[in-house]
Amino acid sequence: MLQSLCDLLNAALRETRTSFPGQFQRAVDAYVDFVVPREDLFEIGLLTFADWFLFDHRPGGGPTPLSRYAAGLPAGAARDDAASVAGTNLFASFAYDACDTDGGLAALTDIATGIAYEVEGSQLTDCPGWVGSVVTGRIARVADGSRHAVSQIFYRDRASLEVGVRVAGDIRASAPEGAPLSLAFAAELLGGGPLTESLRVGGASAEQGARR
């Protein structure tokens, strides 16, 4: 992830935690109750919580914490990027079609819609061996129109592409009504169920818990 994007998301998380501590704690409690991450995957669970909280959590049906943070920034590049990322983010499962390590681009196709994306982000380009499999995470467009990986980690299914597509589709179909897809995947993959042993991650916590 671009350092500027990483700094922006971390600042949004800190601002919300400091300014709305009660709301933040209620979100933590709700997340832990739903996901129940396995003890050895707890550090990865912290990252998936931050992703869900910033992008998908809507306390009282209002704006997400990231959208609220973006609205409060002064006019400029940071606000433009924050608003664009908040408004265009997509959490999905993708076929990882190709990796251009020199150019820093990953070619992805959303398995639910068939839409193709070129995405910047070391979470993906540091893992060229993942090409030909299914990866799951969040991407977004910044103000200059380029798309970036904005999840600190991406899940990868070690199974064949065909099996990975089926499993991802099953998780999507079985998600509780109204539950964001990010929450459904975290519960399935971090909770110690049958899919946990197939989990591999790339990004900030690739060295912890599940490994490439």
Side-chain angles (χ1 to χ4, degrees), residues 105-126:
L105 290 173
L108 308 177
T109 300
D110 185 335
I111 65 172
T113 65
I115 298 174
Y117 301 93
E118 281 195 338
V119 178
E120 299 180 37
S122 59
Q123 304 95 310
L124 295 168
T125 57
D126 282 353

Side-chain angles (χ1 to χ4, degrees), residues 9-189:
L9 296 178
N10 286 336
L13 188 65
R14 287 194 303 270
E15 168 73 18
T16 304
R17 185 172 56 196
T18 301
S19 301
F20 304 94
Q23 180 189 110
F24 184 84
Q25 186 58 53
R26 287 191 294 274
V28 170
D29 293 343
Y31 184 85
V32 171
D33 285 346
F34 190 94
V35 174
V36 196
R38 204 170 70 181
E39 185 175 353
D40 61 321
L41 298 175
F42 186 76
E43 294 297 324
I44 294 176
L46 292 177
L47 299 179
T48 60
F49 163 77
D51 176 85
W52 164 78
F53 178 74
L54 287 174
F55 288 99
D56 293 329
H57 182 53
R58 295 181 179 274
T64 65
L66 182 58
S67 293
R68 184 171 57 198
Y69 175 76
L73 289 174
R79 186 174 74 177
D80 291 345
D81 279 341
S84 182
V85 168
T88 66
N89 76 90
L90 168 68
F91 187 95
S93 293
F94 305 90
Y96 193 165
D97 299 320
C99 178
D100 177 0
T101 53
D102 293 332
L105 290 173
L108 308 177
T109 300
D110 185 335
I111 65 172
T113 65
I115 298 174
Y117 301 93
E118 281 195 338
V119 178
E120 299 180 37
S122 59
Q123 304 95 310
L124 295 168
T125 57
D126 282 353
C127 303
W130 288 13
V131 170
S133 58
V134 171
V135 297
T136 299
R138 195 181 304 273
I139 65 174
R141 190 176 65 240
V142 297
D144 69 5
S146 60
R147 294 189 184 273
H148 294 261
V150 293
S151 296
Q152 291 198 58
I153 64 169
F154 271 69
Y155 306 114
R156 179 241 181 170
D157 194 325
R158 290 187 299 162
S160 67
L161 180 64
E162 180 182 0
V163 172
V165 167
R166 177 175 55 77
V167 169
D170 288 346
I171 294 174
R172 177 187 292 273
S174 64
E177 184 176 355
L181 195 58
S182 60
L183 203 60
F185 266 87
E188 287 284 350
L189 295 171

Side-chain angles (χ1 to χ4, degrees), residues 187-189 191-199:
E188 287 284 350
L189 295 171
L195 297 179
T196 300
E197 296 308 319
S198 291
L199 170 66

